[in-house]
C-alpha cells in the first residue's frame, strides 16, 4: 500500500471542502472496499478523509411513513432493524446475503452504495481496464466472462455492480441525499449509478466532493410483500451471478403493483421497468411472469461466456414472483 495522509473532518462542509481542495483524495467510512483497493494499488489516494462520524448512524421515521437511513448506519444494524424487517423485508434479506457478519458490522450504508466492481481485470493492475485506466481497453471482452454484464454494457466495459443492498433499494424507489460544494440534492437511487457507455471510470453521477448523507425510503405499500433472491456459485460470501429484488401487490387475481430490480447483470442495479409495465394489470399467473421476464431480457446482449445468465435471470425472476404470489393468497 502506498503512503497516504489521514484527516478527520469535524463537520460535513469541512470534509467536502477538503476533498475538493486536494488533488487526489477520497472519503473513508467503513473502508471495507476502499482499503482492499488501496492494498491492490487499484486506487492510490494521497489523502483519506474520515467521514464516518459526520453522517447519521440512525434509522428515523419520516412523516409520510417512510424511513430515513443515515449514511453511517452499519449494514448489520440496518438488516436487523425491526421496522426494516417488517416493512421492507427485501432490503433486510439483501443485506444478509451480501457479506460476512464481520463485514456487515463495519460496512456503512453510504459506502455500500459506492463500492466498486469486483471484475478481476479491474482489480488486477497488470491487465488493461478502461474503468481503471481510461483508453487502455477491456480485457473481459475477450477474457473471463462468467460474471460480466448482459444488459446495458458497452464495448468499453462489461463489468457488473456488486452491491446487493443497492438492488433492493432500486426496487424500493429509494432516494439518496447528497451534500456537495454547491448545495444539497436528492438523487433517485435508480439514477445514482451509471451505465458504462464510453466513460466506465465514472461509476455514479456524483460530482467531485459530493458526500452521501442518507437514504430515504418511501412508505412501504407493496414493499411489505417483497423478497430478495440471490443466485451465486456458493451459499455464502459470494457475489451474485444474478439476483432479483421484487415486490408484488395482487388484487382480485390481477397485478395491482409490482417492482423488480436485477443484480449481477449490469454496470448498475437494473430496474426492470419493461417487465413491470407488462405485469401491471395483467393476471397474476406464471404465464404473465414468464412473458414479463422475456420482455425485460429481450434487450440482453450476453457474451459467449455468460449466455447462461439470460435463462438464469428469467427463471429467477419468475420463481421469485411466484413465491410472492403464494404469500399473497
Amino acid at each position: 500500500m502506498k503512503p497516504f495522509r489521514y484527516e478527520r473532518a469535524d463537520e460535513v462542509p469541512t470534509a467536502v471542502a477538503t476533498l475538493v481542495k486536494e488533488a487526489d483524495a477520497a472519503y473513508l467510512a467503513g473502508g471495507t472496499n476502499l482499503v482492499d483497493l488501496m492494498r491492490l494499488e487499484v486506487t492510490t489516494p494521497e489523502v483519506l478523509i474520515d467521514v464516518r462520524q459526520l453522517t447519521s448512524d440512525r434509522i428515523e421515521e419520516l412523516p409520510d411513513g417512510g424511513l430515513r437511513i443515515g449514511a453511517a448506519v452499519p449494514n448489520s444494524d440496518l438488516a436487523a432493524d425491526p421496522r426494516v424487517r417488517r416493512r421492507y423485508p427485501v432490503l433486510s434479506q439483501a443485506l444478509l446475503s451480501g457479506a460476512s457478519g464481520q463485514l456487515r458490522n463495519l460496512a456503512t450504508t453510504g459506502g455500500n452504495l459506492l463500492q466498486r466492481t469486483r471484475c478481476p481485470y479491474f482489480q488486477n493492475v497488470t491487465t488493461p481496464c478502461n474503468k481503471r485506466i481510461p483508453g487502455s481497453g477491456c480485457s473481459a471482452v475477450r477474457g473471463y466472462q462468467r460474471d460480466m454484464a448482459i444488459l446495458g454494457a458497452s464495448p468499453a466495459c462489461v463489468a457488473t455492480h456488486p452491491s446487493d443492498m443497492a438492488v433492493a433499494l432500486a426496487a424500493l424507489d429509494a432516494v439518496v441525499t447528497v451534500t456537495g460544494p454547491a448545495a444539497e440534492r436528492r438523487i433517485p437511487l435508480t439514477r445514482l449509478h451509471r451505465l458504462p457507455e464510453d466513460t466506465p471510470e465514472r461509476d455514479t453521477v456524483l460530482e467531485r466532493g459530493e458526500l452521501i448523507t442518507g437514504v430515504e425510503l418511501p412508505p412501504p405499500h407493496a414493499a411489505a410483500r417483497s423478497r430478495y433472491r440471490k443466485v451465486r456459485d456458493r451459499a455464502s460470501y459470494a457475489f451474485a451471478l444474478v439476483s432479483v429484488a421484487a415486490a408484488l401487490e395482487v388484487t382480485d387475481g390481477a397485478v395491482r403493483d409490482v417492482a423488480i430490480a436485477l443484480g449481477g447483470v449490469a454496470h448498475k442495479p437494473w430496474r426492470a421497468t419493461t417487465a413491470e409495465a407488462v405485469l401491471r394489470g395483467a393476471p397474476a399467473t406464471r404465464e404473465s411472469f414468464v412473458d414479463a421476464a422475456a420482455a425485460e431480457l429481450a434487450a440482453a446482449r450476453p457474451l459467449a461466456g455468460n449466455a447462461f445468465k439470460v435463462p438464469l435471470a428469467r427463471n429467477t425472476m419468475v420463481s421469485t414472483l411466484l413465491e410472492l404470489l403464494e404469500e399473497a393468497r
Side-chain angles (χ1 to χ4, degrees):
M1 184 183 290
K2 293 185 177 181
F4 60 89
R5 188 172 87 247
Y6 170 87
E7 293 195 9
R8 178 177 290 173
D10 55 2
E11 57 183 2
V12 169
T14 303
V16 170
T18 301
L19 191 137
V20 171
K21 177 184 68 177
E22 297 291 341
D24 188 2
Y27 292 132
L28 174 70
T32 56
N33 183 218
L34 176 61
V35 173
D36 283 345
L37 294 177
M38 291 175 65
R39 287 172 176 160
L40 295 169
E41 297 189 2
V42 171
T43 184
T44 55
E46 296 178 357
V47 182
L48 289 185
I49 304 165
D50 192 331
V51 297
R52 181 148 193 157
Q53 303 303 317
L54 301 186
T55 56
S56 173
D57 62 356
R58 299 178 61 189
I59 303 169
E60 301 172 302
E61 296 280 351
L62 292 173
D64 63 0
L67 291 177
R68 187 181 192 279
I69 305 161
V73 173
N75 287 177
S76 55
D77 289 1
L78 184 56
D81 187 276
R83 294 164 295 182
V84 174
R85 294 176 63 187
R86 182 176 65 256
R87 301 185 210 170
Y88 311 94
V90 64
L91 178 56
S92 180
Q93 292 165 14
L95 285 160
L96 292 174
S97 73
S100 67
Q102 294 91 332
L103 285 174
R104 290 197 300 270
N105 288 339
L106 190 60
T108 62
T109 299
N112 186 304
L113 291 175
L114 298 180
Q115 63 181 299
R116 307 205 71 189
T117 183
R118 267 44 176 209
C119 174
Y121 301 108
F122 173 71
Q123 294 186 323
N124 183 351
V125 296
T126 68
T127 59
C129 172
N130 287 321
K131 181 176 282 294
R132 184 168 23 84
I133 304 176
S136 62
C138 177
S139 297
V141 170
R142 290 182 175 82
Y144 177 78
Q145 301 172 343
R146 178 174 174 80
D147 298 327
M148 303 306 165
I150 60 173
L151 290 165
S154 76
C157 183
V158 294
T160 56
H161 192 270
S163 173
D164 293 287
M165 182 190 78
V167 179
L169 291 176
L172 292 172
D173 292 319
V175 174
V176 180
T177 58
V178 172
T179 297
E184 297 182 355
R185 62 173 177 149
R186 294 162 53 83
I187 307 171
L189 191 283
T190 53
R191 298 180 186 173
L192 175 67
H193 301 96
R194 297 179 65 255
L195 292 177
E197 300 175 338
D198 58 356
T199 54
E201 69 275 13
R202 289 197 63 201
D203 292 340
T204 72
V205 299
L206 295 181
E207 302 294 339
R208 179 169 174 76
E210 287 190 316
L211 174 67
I212 292 176
T213 56
V215 176
E216 295 181 1
L217 297 178
H221 302 305
R225 182 173 292 110
S226 59
R227 180 163 301 209
Y228 187 76
R229 173 171 281 194
K230 180 176 181 178
V231 182
R232 45 191 164 176
D233 283 327
R234 60 182 186 273
S236 65
Y237 199 33
F239 295 99
L241 291 169
V242 167
S243 65
V244 174
L248 182 68
E249 187 174 356
V250 176
T251 302
D252 297 329
V255 176
R256 179 178 179 183
D257 197 11
V258 63
I260 306 169
L262 305 178
V265 298
H267 196 257
K268 60 179 286 184
W270 186 270
R271 184 67 183 259
T273 54
T274 300
E276 293 172 358
V278 170
L279 283 174
R280 288 192 182 96
T285 63
R286 173 186 286 273
E287 290 74 19
S288 294
F289 300 159
V290 170
D291 290 344
E296 186 65 46
L297 294 165
R301 299 294 181 266
L303 302 164
N306 69 358
F308 72 94
K309 280 194 175 188
V310 177
L312 182 62
R314 180 186 65 238
N315 294 341
T316 306
M317 289 175 65
V318 172
S319 61
T320 304
L321 291 168
L322 285 171
E323 289 176 2
L324 290 170
L325 178 60
E326 187 61 29
E327 289 181 13
R329 289 173 173 166

